[in-house]
Amino acid sequence: MVYQLEILLNNMKKNRERFSSKEREFVYKFQIGSERLELRVPLRFPVDENASHLHGRLMLLHSLPCFIENDLKEALARFIEEESLRDHDSDAEACLEAVKSGEVDLHQLASTWAKAYAETTLEHARPEEPNWDEDFADVYHDLIHSPASETLLNLEHNYFVSISELIGERDVELKKLRERQGIEMEKVMQELGKSLTDQDVNSLAAQHFESQQDLENKWSNELKQSTAIQKQEYQEWVIKLHQDLKNPNNSSLSEEIKVQPSQFRESADAAGRIYEEQRKLEESFTIHLGAQLKTMHNLRLLRADMLDFCKHKRTQGSGVKLHRLQTALSLYSTSLCGLVLLVDNRINSYSGIKRDFATVCQECTDFHFPRIEEQLEVVQQVALYARTQRRSKCKEARDSGNQNGGSDEKSKNAERNYLNILPGEFYITRHSNLSEIHVAFHLCVDDNVKSGNITARDPAIMGLRNILKVCCTHDITTISIPLLLVHDMSEEMTIPWCLRRAELVFKCVKGFMMEMASWDGGISRTVQFLVPQSISEEMFYQLSNMLPQIFRVSSTLTLTSKH
């Protein structure tokens, strides 16, 4: 084992420089018939090039006969090895002389050797510090696959109901405040121009806004504190239960597991807060893709709201429990579930479906991953760094374009928009507190997706391809995609528009899924195509009839016996 010690000795540096700059001549003698020949090649030591590569270059450059190839290779390797050892010995002698003469502190040298040995040898290496997140993940994975799984789900649902009640109280208080402020504003508007001026109206509006902000901040802090307490209590309880399960003589274990369901509580007005689901339409298909090695995939076409896969239900029906159990069982597995949300180019949760998604995330404490706000802050920091790098490259490209006499309009647009992510780019958030998904892909799209002239090279389509590639590399086997690349229907989205858009997405996704075979080796996956709930049944079944025409749907065989 060779240890490199950084010892600042001038004489050693001089020796190394002298050795590194020295050339030696390699001489090889051979005979062809009666003619004796000699090959002389100057080599600079230390030789950085591989001896086999150098041998091949010599054979080709000097057109040497093939019968000396092996002997030349051995002689060259032997020469390099002997001369390199001679250099190392000379360097070592110089180092020893420096120690003997007192130029090097012996104690410092010994401590440097000891440090290098301790850092290099595994038995002296520091043990890795335990990672709380990894330890908790292992403990949770063990418990959720044990008889205690129902207890965990009941406790999580209990916490969910508690947070939902808190959110309900917040909404009621905010509603009362807005109603009271509305009445006050109406009275002021009636007196406008009589005893009050525009300045009085603006002053009252500012007071109302400040009051709403104070109330929202108060409830936000309370929710944040409540979720932090729940997360700490839950994790401590999970660790304790896991330790108790390891002790078979613990008499209180069975009571501890049984107590939890009996303590489950529901609020009196729970029925009024149950999410109302519109009647879903659904069609399922089994397809085979691939030329030689075919892979089976499952496709589903659904008329549903994207957030239906995220929302928890206040009731604890058998179907709800099964969905939640399946999501919990696969949380730390190779069968994750993902969802594609179409968002604008700002990384926040202030408007549109981003706000609705963040609201759903806040209704239930995430016991495994950071809160949605914290994850978005990390994404913003990463995106800021990426945008800064992109801006510098755009500036260099613009300067180069100006020197070449080219147009810099494209560079100006890139610099103007560098503060936002671009269409086709996406960021990812992780969740353990949603009903049926673990990963959310926030795909940036612009108003161009509402037009009817997008192509397979559109940023939104290419974004879907990159999302599917991430699914292949990160064990996401179920992905839900908005088929029409919109979450809500509008007037310009006619039946021909829907058919053209669905055909484009179907064909592109089919091509991307065929690429998956080269990405992951051909793993069976489930792709769910979602259409808005406002779409008609007739339109839904037209899309359902289109899917088997584009994908190769497996045909069923009917077996009959002959009598």
Side-chain angles (χ1 to χ4, degrees), residues 307-313 320 323-328 360 432-437:
L307 297 183
D308 287 345
F309 294 93
C310 307
K311 296 176 180 178
H312 281 289
K313 281 69 177 177
V320 174
H323 278 302
R324 184 70 192 109
L325 178 61
Q326 179 61 35
T327 306
V360 174
S432 67
N433 58 337
L434 301 181
S435 177
E436 300 179 38
I437 72 164

Side-chain angles (χ1 to χ4, degrees), residues 161-223:
V161 173
S162 176
I163 294 296
S164 297
E165 291 173 351
L166 203 60
I167 292 176
E169 295 175 7
R170 178 201 64 183
D171 295 342
V172 169
E173 192 166 342
L174 286 173
K175 182 180 179 182
K176 290 181 179 179
L177 176 63
R178 295 190 182 101
E179 290 176 351
R180 185 170 64 253
Q181 291 178 346
I183 296 174
E184 292 178 1
M185 184 60 70
E186 287 180 4
K187 292 181 180 179
V188 170
M189 294 300 295
Q190 291 175 359
E191 296 296 326
L192 182 62
K194 300 177 182 178
S195 59
L196 298 176
T197 62
D198 291 340
Q199 186 177 358
D200 297 323
V201 175
N202 294 336
S203 177
L204 180 62
Q207 293 177 9
H208 287 175
F209 178 77
E210 185 176 354
S211 299
Q212 289 187 20
Q213 289 294 108
D214 292 341
L215 187 59
E216 289 178 356
N217 290 336
K218 169 203 166 187
W219 279 105
S220 177
N221 293 332
E222 188 169 346
L223 283 171

Side-chain angles (χ1 to χ4, degrees), residues 8-146:
L8 302 178
L9 297 173
N10 292 331
N11 61 332
M12 292 184 187
K13 287 185 177 180
K14 292 178 181 178
N15 288 334
R16 292 190 184 99
E17 292 173 359
R18 178 167 56 85
F19 293 140
S20 62
S21 61
K22 187 174 182 179
E23 283 190 357
R24 294 180 177 85
E25 189 175 48
F26 168 65
V27 180
Y28 177 73
K29 298 179 181 180
F30 60 98
Q31 183 175 351
I32 301 179
S34 60
E35 186 178 4
R36 294 182 178 274
L37 302 176
E38 191 175 85
L39 174 67
R40 293 179 176 270
V41 180
L43 296 178
R44 184 180 296 274
F45 281 80
V47 179
D48 296 327
E49 189 175 3
N50 184 280
S52 297
H53 296 169
L54 180 59
H55 163 259
R57 289 173 55 193
L58 292 177
M59 293 289 295
L60 182 64
L61 183 63
H62 298 281
S63 301
L64 299 176
C66 60
F67 60 82
I68 69 168
E69 180 176 357
N70 293 333
D71 187 58
L72 174 63
K73 185 175 182 180
E74 293 176 1
L76 179 62
R78 184 168 57 252
F79 175 78
I80 293 176
E81 182 180 4
E82 291 174 354
E83 294 299 322
S84 298
L85 285 175
R86 186 176 292 111
D87 286 346
H88 291 320
D89 291 341
S90 301
D91 196 7
E93 289 291 338
C95 294
L96 290 175
E97 287 297 328
V99 174
K100 292 178 180 179
S101 62
E103 295 182 30
V104 178
D105 185 1
L106 192 60
H107 297 288
Q108 181 182 0
L109 180 63
S111 62
T112 306
W113 272 93
K115 180 180 178 182
Y117 184 79
E119 292 178 352
T120 309
T121 310
L122 181 61
E123 61 179 327
H124 296 286
R126 281 186 176 183
E128 292 186 4
E129 297 183 359
N131 188 310
W132 166 259
D133 293 334
E134 293 181 0
D135 292 344
F136 178 75
D138 294 336
V139 169
Y140 179 85
H141 186 74
D142 291 341
L143 286 182
I144 202 64
H145 289 81
S146 72

Side-chain angles (χ1 to χ4, degrees), residues 485-529:
L485 299 181
V486 293
H487 292 308
D488 299 302
M489 302 296 292
S490 56
E491 293 181 356
E492 67 270 15
M493 299 174 188
T494 59
I495 292 180
W497 183 95
C498 293
L499 293 176
R500 288 196 304 271
R501 176 61 56 81
E503 182 180 8
L504 173 65
V505 175
F506 277 147
K507 289 182 177 179
C508 291
V509 171
K510 178 184 178 181
F512 301 154
M513 292 176 68
M514 294 181 70
E515 284 186 85
M516 288 183 185
S518 61
W519 296 339
D520 58 15
I523 296 177
S524 179
R525 300 184 183 275
T526 299
V527 179
Q528 300 185 141
F529 298 101

Side-chain angles (χ1 to χ4, degrees), residues 278-303:
Q278 297 185 8
R279 185 171 66 90
K280 291 183 180 180
L281 294 177
E282 177 181 340
E283 291 284 347
S284 299
F285 305 88
T286 300
I287 64 169
H288 288 87
L289 293 179
Q292 297 179 348
L293 181 62
K294 298 185 182 299
T295 305
M296 185 180 71
H297 301 279
N298 297 316
L299 303 182
R300 298 177 67 198
L301 178 65
L302 297 96
R303 186 181 73 173

